[in-house]
Amino acid sequence: IKASIPEPQRAAWEKYAVKSFEGQEGFEREVVRHVETTLARSLFNCDEKAAYAATSLAFRDRLITDWNKTQQQHTYRDAKRVYYLSLEFLMGRALDNAMLNVGLKDTAKAGLADLGFRIEDIITQENDAALGNGGLGRLAACFLDSLASLDYPAWGYGLRYRYGIFKQEIIDGYQVEVPDYWLDFNPWEFPRHDVTVDIQFYGNVQKSADANGKTISVWDGGEVVQAVAYDVPIPGYATPTTNNLRLWSSKASGGEFDFQKFNNGDYESSVADQQRAETISAVLYPNDNLERGKELRLKQQYFWVAASLYDIVRRFKKSKRAWSEFPEQVAIQLNDTHPTLAIVELQRILIDVEGLDWDQAWAIVTNTFGYTNHTVLPEALEKWPVSLLQNLLPRHLQIIFDINLFFLQQVEKKFPDDRDMLRRVSIVEESQPKMIRMAYLAIVGSHKVNGVAELHSDLIQTTIFKDFVAIYGPDKFTNVTNGVTPRRWLHQANPRLSELIASKCGGNEFLTDLTNLSKLEQFVGDKDFRKEWAEIKYANKVRLAKHIKSTLGVTVNPAALFDIQVKRIHEYKRQQMNIFGVIHRYLTLKKMSPEERKKQLPRVSIFGGKAAPGYWMAKQIIHLINSVGSVVNNDADIGDLLKVIFLEDYNVSKAEIICPASDISEHISTAGTEASGTSNMKFVLNGGLIIGTCDGANIEITREVGENNIFLFGNLSEDVEDLRHAHTYGSHTIDSDLDAVFKEIEKGTFGTPHDFGALVAAVRQHGDYYLVSDDFHSYIETHRLVDEAYRNQDEWVSKCITAVARMGFFSSDRCINEYAESIWNVEPLPIKE
Ligand code: GPQ
């Protein structure tokens, strides 16, 4: 690396090389320097925002040093890299994470105190980087943390949205969306105005001949938009490895054409071009588990994929290796089907630009890509109209047709005379209008396809991708159960529990090897330990109670059982069943005599989550929760026995306060619909138990923690189809407790009954697709068991400790190691000092 600096200058560069600050004194000096110079403020008007800015800049400088070293060594040592392509990275805040990962949080705390600030007040100044919707985006963020912490050479590629997921306000019980302009001050990104890629859209394809007379396709005309790279350093925990997240931003490519317009006095149209180009990366689509087929979304996908591939190919070409070595140097993982066009784009680059034959190129492509599926819900499976692709990406559509042709020929050989098979698996759906099935394209263009929990991976192989298992054999399909990073979701979110665990498990090793948690199990019988454990849970509940008081003005009793369901609002996740259950509890309490009531266990039912702006039913659910809350919370008969809370604007930084504060959390999707879930893991890791269905990763959590330490209920996924069929074609009887809930809603107890008519009708009249009625009785019964178990606090705390001790499997480190071994074939590359 040093050899890249010419001999005469090398000594000077080495002499003046930047040294990272050390110790509290060094940190304070850097903070003051940034306040006085970078921020041009005096110490007399340094408010918390400025202190946050200066602290971040001090840590950023530190990260850059490690980041440069990491990137130089990765380039020099020329190892295989992983590229994680994701339209969403739900990163949350960076400062706290950076301080913990470089091991200097205590130093910063002392330094800030010396300068007159409390570290908590500084950390909370930061806007969340909320470039994602929910689990899929957060998974990508946990993966980046693990990749860096495990020293894998890896890059993330995404879009730099100007607006992340909207901020949610609740006004009169309804969700209102407010734009999230998060970039007013973002010290964590580095604009690389020198790293740009021109991206082409529209235009035409011409056949012509190359110098050797070979026919080639030339895609020209149309419009060009420029992609500009913004880099975000991703520090690993307790390692110098600092990987890169590259986010692309769109702008008009200021070619001659624009200048001409400008000079001709056509100023307005030149500005309009500018704005149209910038629109591409302007806003994150706010849908979770739903695809709506908008042209701008397709433009986002191609823009991001084409820029990323250009970058990846450019980097590969610097090594001067043969093309056949590409898959030995490059592994690209597709986070759902959103980046599937990358398969087509790489094939296009190899055949149209680099002049490889089809077969040689296709072997490279398929050995490079892996595809992760995150849902079986039909409404979430991406399909693009052929006409849209024809217009926007004419050359890509031709290549897709060719991929499909060769694929179907292969299928025909294996299944002669099975025309129905060809129709079923064709990448081109022969519908009106014709559609491209992106999941099928992703399967055909990848060497491995994985689901995200065992049940989900089984389901994709036996239902939506069954034919592909018959065609390719079972080895192409695999499972990698999701995980979460214990750094953010235990150490950062729950510092006291983390410290207690460290004191029992021989230090912080559990943060890099989570299976060390198993050492906790020997302390389950230790009374003092249980007491300390319970005190920490109580303190975390107090912290959440304070948040509830300050944001909603409602007082909740931290000694009550905290029952939490926070996640995107979706019918399949069944927040409606939860609120129906709360109403049932309310009615039961109302019927009791005051003496009887005194014997009941107080409960706080806490909800949180965003509804997609266009998802009307989800918005009805939010409205019902809030309406029930305003009745129950003001009912003098009930007092502390039941409170219903809807937390506004659930996001990553709020999850860090919420997850440590649950006694029980709800993961109650209709069996077979939740691919994995990841908050289930976060809640158990923080010493809360779960009430859940046999769905997603709940099943593996049960296997690990033991059936006695989880509350499972409800129908199994193998029975869902028959139950649905019975609703439509047989007689559908509604559970009597649920019926009483509906009657209460219809009486107007929670406001105009008409407002909630659709929620009731979905169960009573419209087939109850999500099986709320079928599962309601066992749901209520299981909640009764939860109450009963909670009364015996000694046993409850023992269950919680046992569960945490057995959660080692659910680290995203384990998950990333599985991807590295079974899909990417990459090795860690620790940075040398
Ligand atoms: N997931 Cl398809 C999302 O968050 N958004 C999506 O659009 C799709 C999936 C989730 C899925 O619902 C969860 O069960 C998973 O745990 C999560 O992806 C990560 O795999």
Side-chain angles (χ1 to χ4, degrees):
I1 293 165
K2 280 183 188 164
S4 65
I5 306 170
E7 189 70 74
Q9 287 86 40
R10 204 180 292 171
W13 281 97
E14 276 172 9
K15 180 171 166 198
Y16 300 117
V18 172
K19 306 262 185 313
S20 295
F21 71 78
E22 267 171 58
Q24 185 184 329
E25 210 185 301
F27 167 71
E28 286 184 58
R29 183 171 296 121
E30 283 301 285
V31 170
V32 172
R33 181 175 72 78
H34 278 301
V35 170
E36 292 194 324
T37 62
T38 320
L39 304 175
R41 307 268 287 239
S42 82
L43 293 179
F44 304 106
N45 70 357
C46 178
D47 56 9
E48 285 173 346
K49 260 242 119 78
Y52 159 71
T55 306
S56 298
L57 290 165
F59 274 93
R60 179 179 97 150
D61 288 348
R62 249 197 108 83
L63 294 193
I64 296 170
T65 318
D66 282 344
W67 188 32
N68 283 336
K69 201 189 310 173
T70 305
Q71 297 313 319
Q72 281 164 14
Q73 288 200 22
H74 287 173
T75 304
Y76 183 72
R77 292 160 73 185
D78 196 24
K80 182 169 185 175
R81 284 189 182 86
V82 177
Y83 296 104
Y84 197 77
L85 267 56
S86 180
L87 256 193
E88 304 188 9
F89 287 95
L90 203 44
M91 303 295 284
R93 291 183 177 138
L95 175 59
D96 201 4
N97 186 248
M99 294 190 301
L100 286 167
N101 278 15
V102 302
L104 287 170
K105 188 168 177 183
D106 290 340
T107 306
K109 187 175 177 175
L112 283 167
D114 196 40
L115 296 169
F117 297 97
R118 282 170 19 136
I119 195 166
E120 298 81 13
D121 300 334
I122 299 312
I123 287 168
T124 49
Q125 296 300 315
E126 183 173 352
N127 294 328
D128 274 37
L131 307 183
N133 276 285
L136 175 145
R138 183 54 230 178
L139 186 75
C142 283
F143 280 7
L144 292 183
D145 184 76
S146 284
L147 283 161
S149 299
L150 295 166
D151 295 320
Y152 285 109
W155 283 47
Y157 276 107
L159 275 184
R160 179 183 179 268
Y161 303 109
R162 199 147 21 101
Y163 296 92
I165 188 68
F166 62 86
K167 283 192 161 48
Q168 178 193 53
E169 287 180 9
I170 302 295
I171 298 180
D172 297 333
Y174 290 96
Q175 168 174 299
V176 173
E177 298 97 24
V178 178
D180 166 44
Y181 186 76
W182 66 292
L183 288 168
D184 56 347
F185 176 73
N186 180 11
W188 305 106
E189 64 173 15
F190 292 82
R192 303 285 196 195
H193 294 294
D194 54 329
V195 182
T196 63
V197 187
D198 279 344
I199 308 295
Q200 187 181 353
F201 292 106
Y202 308 105
N204 300 292
V205 182
Q206 246 77 255
K207 292 261 179 248
S208 94
D210 71 1
N212 307 319
K214 193 173 129 194
T215 318
I216 52 165
S217 296
V218 180
W219 175 27
D220 56 18
E223 65 177 51
V224 173
V225 177
Q226 194 176 60
V228 183
Y230 284 71
D231 288 346
V232 182
I234 307 294
Y237 173 78
T239 166
T241 297
T242 304
N243 283 336
N244 194 24
L245 168 61
R246 178 158 284 178
L247 302 176
W248 298 104
S249 180
S250 62
K251 65 181 239 190
S253 77
E256 267 170 64
F257 187 60
D258 296 324
F259 268 116
Q260 241 163 39
K261 270 193 185 171
F262 187 78
N263 290 336
N264 294 341
D266 200 356
Y267 178 68
E268 270 175 50
S269 120
S270 136
V271 171
D273 285 352
Q274 196 90 12
Q275 281 182 345
R276 204 150 40 91
E278 286 175 14
T279 302
I280 293 178
S281 62
V283 51
L284 166 80
Y285 275 90
N287 301 317
D288 181 90
N289 268 289
L290 178 73
E291 274 305 327
R292 304 236 289 180
K294 291 267 190 276
E295 178 171 26
L296 182 60
R297 168 81 165 185
L298 186 62
K299 274 187 141 177
Q300 288 188 334
Q301 293 185 350
Y302 181 65
F303 170 81
W304 149 63
V305 146
S308 307
L309 265 177
Y310 185 91
D311 213 41
I312 293 166
V313 167
R314 169 167 64 189
R315 197 166 302 123
F316 172 78
K317 286 174 81 167
K318 275 196 200 152
S319 71
K320 305 256 190 298
R321 290 167 182 264
W323 280 111
S324 58
E325 287 178 61
F326 192 83
E328 286 151 42
Q329 291 301 107
V330 175
I332 304 179
Q333 193 64 25
L334 306 174
N335 196 23
D336 216 279
T337 54
H338 317 145
T340 303
L341 284 172
I343 288 168
V344 189
E345 176 70 359
L346 182 58
Q347 182 71 3
R348 186 188 71 85
I349 293 170
L350 294 178
I351 62 177
D352 289 359
V353 183
E354 302 294 340
L356 273 64
D357 328 329
W358 179 278
D359 288 347
Q360 196 194 352
W362 188 242
I364 291 168
V365 169
T366 50
N367 283 315
T368 299
F369 288 99
Y371 156 51
T372 306
N373 171 279
H374 295 267
T375 188
V376 295
L377 299 186
E379 64 270 29
L381 298 178
E382 278 188 295
K383 289 175 186 179
W384 290 107
V386 166
S387 55
L388 198 60
L389 282 162
Q390 172 65 54
N391 185 37
L392 189 68
L393 300 166
R395 177 60 184 142
H396 294 78
L397 184 64
Q398 291 180 344
I399 294 173
I400 292 171
F401 283 147
D402 286 344
I403 293 170
N404 196 38
L405 183 74
F406 295 129
F407 167 61
L408 291 180
Q409 283 172 358
Q410 184 190 340
V411 176
E412 205 173 10
K413 250 189 226 151
K414 185 151 182 181
F415 299 93
D417 306 320
D418 191 345
R419 295 206 57 85
D420 201 57
M421 168 73 104
L422 296 180
R423 182 189 58 75
R424 289 199 308 271
V425 301
S426 174
I427 293 168
V428 186
E429 181 181 87
E430 297 293 332
S431 48
Q432 271 304 336
K434 282 189 191 176
M435 304 287 254
I436 302 300
R437 298 156 158 166
M438 300 308 272
Y440 293 5
L441 179 55
I443 296 170
V444 172
S446 300
H447 68 287
K448 281 275 181 194
V449 178
N450 75 285
V452 290
E454 273 176 27
L455 173 68
H456 171 66
S457 297
D458 285 349
L459 282 175
I460 63 177
Q461 290 175 58
T462 52
T463 63
I464 56 175
F465 303 149
K466 187 172 175 232
D467 289 326
F468 291 88
V469 177
I471 292 163
Y472 290 112
D475 290 353
K476 181 159 178 165
F477 295 83
T478 186
N479 170 249
V480 185
T481 299
N482 283 166
V484 301
T485 169
R487 272 77 64 182
R488 183 176 294 259
W489 297 112
L490 184 50
H491 193 43
Q492 182 177 321
N494 202 342
R496 278 190 65 192
L497 190 65
S498 180
E499 202 180 320
L500 178 63
I501 292 171
S503 76
K504 297 289 177 187
C505 291
N508 273 342
E509 220 181 295
F510 72 101
L511 290 173
T512 44
D513 177 359
L514 200 61
T515 60
N516 278 292
L517 286 177
S518 65
K519 295 177 190 156
L520 282 179
E521 205 150 343
Q522 60 189 302
F523 301 103
V524 172
D526 176 339
K527 220 172 154 74
D528 292 337
F529 178 67
R530 284 206 304 270
K531 187 158 165 265
E532 252 185 282
W533 186 280
E535 274 168 16
I536 291 170
K537 176 59 78 180
Y538 188 80
N540 288 328
K541 288 166 73 178
V542 169
R543 177 169 69 160
L544 180 58
K546 280 187 185 149
H547 174 79
I548 291 170
K549 180 77 188 175
S550 72
T551 52
L552 300 168
V554 180
T555 308
V556 299
N557 175 8
L561 189 156
F562 277 23
D563 169 356
I564 306 183
Q565 186 177 20
V566 284
K567 48 185 84 229
R568 288 298 290 252
I569 311 293
H570 211 299
E571 287 164 281
Y572 87 79
K573 296 180 190 280
R574 297 202 292 191
Q575 285 93 351
Q576 72 277 38
M577 186 167 75
N578 186 345
I579 193 64
F580 295 154
V582 170
I583 296 174
H584 170 77
R585 179 175 287 264
Y586 176 61
L587 297 179
T588 311
L589 287 169
K590 285 294 270 188
K591 271 188 249 154
M592 288 177 181
S593 67
E595 291 71 44
E596 227 181 322
R597 267 186 215 139
K598 279 198 194 108
K599 294 184 225 147
Q600 301 306 307
L601 197 73
R603 218 188 238 245
V604 184
S605 270
I606 299 167
F607 295 81
K610 295 173 186 177
Y615 191 172
W616 186 79
M617 278 294 249
K619 290 183 155 180
Q620 300 296 103
I621 295 172
I622 292 177
H623 185 214
L624 179 59
I625 295 167
N626 281 290
S627 303
V628 171
S630 55
V631 172
V632 172
N633 298 347
N634 296 303
D635 188 330
D637 291 348
I638 300 300
D640 263 2
L641 286 181
L642 183 60
K643 290 279 182 249
V644 182
I645 301 297
F646 191 95
L647 293 169
E648 233 172 30
D649 197 41
Y650 176 60
N651 62 12
V652 172
S653 56
K654 293 204 177 82
E656 290 169 27
I657 303 172
I658 295 166
C659 292
S662 81
D663 293 306
I664 198 102
S665 65
E666 308 231 0
H667 309 276
I668 58 177
S669 48
T670 311
T673 61
E674 188 70 276
S676 160
T678 42
S679 76
N680 42 7
M681 303 167 190
K682 294 165 196 167
F683 278 106
V684 180
L685 195 57
N686 280 282
L689 301 182
I690 280 181
I691 179 164
T693 43
C694 296
D695 201 17
N698 290 355
I699 294 171
E700 286 138 285
I701 292 175
T702 307
R703 184 156 70 214
E704 294 293 313
V705 305
E707 280 185 19
N708 294 329
N709 302 312
I710 188 165
F711 296 90
L712 290 181
F713 72 95
N715 284 284
L716 302 180
S717 91
E718 62 241 45
D719 300 322
V720 167
E721 209 185 294
D722 287 348
L723 288 165
R724 281 181 181 156
H725 190 266
H727 293 175
T728 318
Y729 300 102
S731 68
H732 181 208
T733 50
I734 305 289
D735 173 88
S736 60
D737 283 331
L738 184 58
D739 205 53
V741 167
F742 289 165
K743 293 207 164 99
E744 199 66 27
I745 293 173
E746 286 166 340
K747 254 169 61 188
T749 305
F750 309 106
T752 323
H754 177 261
D755 284 3
F756 313 115
L759 292 173
V760 175
V763 177
R764 274 214 193 119
Q765 278 132 348
H766 301 145
D768 191 14
Y769 189 75
Y770 297 102
L771 311 189
V772 171
S773 179
D774 306 84
D775 283 348
F776 195 69
H777 183 72
S778 92
Y779 178 58
I780 296 301
E781 264 309 293
T782 308
H783 265 305
R784 205 180 50 72
L785 297 179
V786 170
D787 279 337
E788 219 172 86
Y790 195 72
R791 284 177 189 280
N792 186 342
Q793 270 296 301
D794 250 359
E795 231 175 78
W796 182 275
V797 175
S798 302
K799 281 179 194 287
C800 296
I801 297 168
T802 309
V804 172
R806 298 176 183 177
M807 283 297 286
F809 181 74
F810 298 99
S811 169
S812 46
D813 295 346
R814 183 269 313 153
C815 182
I816 284 299
N817 280 328
E818 284 184 21
Y819 276 97
E821 193 163 315
S822 68
I823 300 179
W824 302 331
N825 192 28
V826 291
E827 303 278 338
L829 194 73
I831 299 305
K832 294 179 191 154
E833 284 307 323

